Amino acid sequence: MASAPVFAAAPSPEALAKKAGVAWPAVIAHRGASYDAPESTRPAYIAARDLGADYLEMDLQRTRDGQLVAFHDDTLLRTTDVATRFPDRRDKPISAFTLAELRELDAGSWFNTAYPDRARPAFQGAKVLTLDEIIDIADADPENRTGLYIETKVPSLYPGIEADLKAKLISRGWLTPSGEVAAGHHVVLQTFEKASLELLAKEMPKVPKVLLLWVGEGSIEPESKVAFADSGIKDKAAYYASQRPASKEAFASWVDFAKAQGAVGTGPSAALTKGGDQSYMDLVQPWMNKLTHAKGLLVHVYTVDDPVDFDKVKKAGVDGIFTNRTAELLKFDGRPSKRSVQAILDDEGY
Ligand code: G3P
Ligand code: CA
């Protein structure tokens, strides 16, 4: 009698993560502990590190004099006093400023104004940080476990930034000279841009990479091409929630592209229960996560802050979460921080 064919079981997501050298489930501190301190500044990254995040997330851009810095927006207007310091260049990109000029800016006071319940006088005057300074913060982790999760932001503005990043990570000992993640270090590279993923893959083939997903221009083809302004929908989060991929194939083609470039995962958006300005398309529906896992890739969803949504996206099958609220996610994951974020910030002099 012929024996039944034997099929190897597909590796579990946890096994995929282990093979890729990626934390599972991953707690990714989005711009640091940015619910509790001004995003992408020293107190936000120190708090995320000391709470026990697996990764410090950052958006990498480059100054006019070639320095790598962490900054999210295309301009400095929302989170600094550029409008009063450099009124002529108020709406210019980071690439229009030297590092010395960026250092003159106050990247903390906006937070105190926007969130008086979380304000601290010492946040005033917080500086824009270089990648070097964030590496210093990670290197100072007494438990030696904090990783870096680095996004090339608007990479078309910064030709060669992928090579600059590689050189920096090697010079700081986070990558070996042959481009492997150095022992005891944890790095993930991320981008929304296919062209940047190709360059990251060329420069750093051995470093874990994630392709961020979105529905719309330059990303997954949408079912409807009606813009927000023409949609008649008042709330942007509601508009985003109404956006979906044109087809299963349109979604899958982006996962396939990520895989073809050697990425270890995708980073899809989520629609949040409360809405708000970080609530986007629901790209973590169970079928999407199943499809991604079946292709051997992990799913890291952005940006989720509330237990109701942690629960929802985890039940849908994600492997890691970008969060502004590191402490809340660690608690939800059953590994609460030893110290509160307030105690950490107090102890650090904030
Ligand atoms: O990098 C993941 C997530 O941060 C993407 O959104 O706009 O916050 O960079 P954004
Ligand atoms: Ca980012």
Side-chain angles (χ1 to χ4, degrees), residues 30-31 57-59 72 151 153 190 212:
H30 184 244
R31 309 179 206 166
E57 195 265 350
M58 74 193 78
D59 305 286
H72 176 267
E151 177 182 351
K153 202 62 161 182
Q190 45 159 345
L212 300 168

Side-chain angles (χ1 to χ4, degrees), residues 17-65:
K18 193 168 176 197
K19 185 161 173 251
V22 174
W24 193 93
V27 173
I28 307 157
H30 184 244
R31 309 179 206 166
S34 56
Y35 178 86
D36 301 288
E39 65 184 58
S40 310
T41 66
R42 187 173 177 75
Y45 285 119
I46 286 181
R49 178 197 69 192
D50 289 356
L51 286 165
D54 296 307
Y55 297 99
L56 307 181
E57 195 265 350
M58 74 193 78
D59 305 286
L60 198 69
Q61 302 200 49
R62 195 172 61 202
T63 64
R64 199 169 80 200
D65 50 342

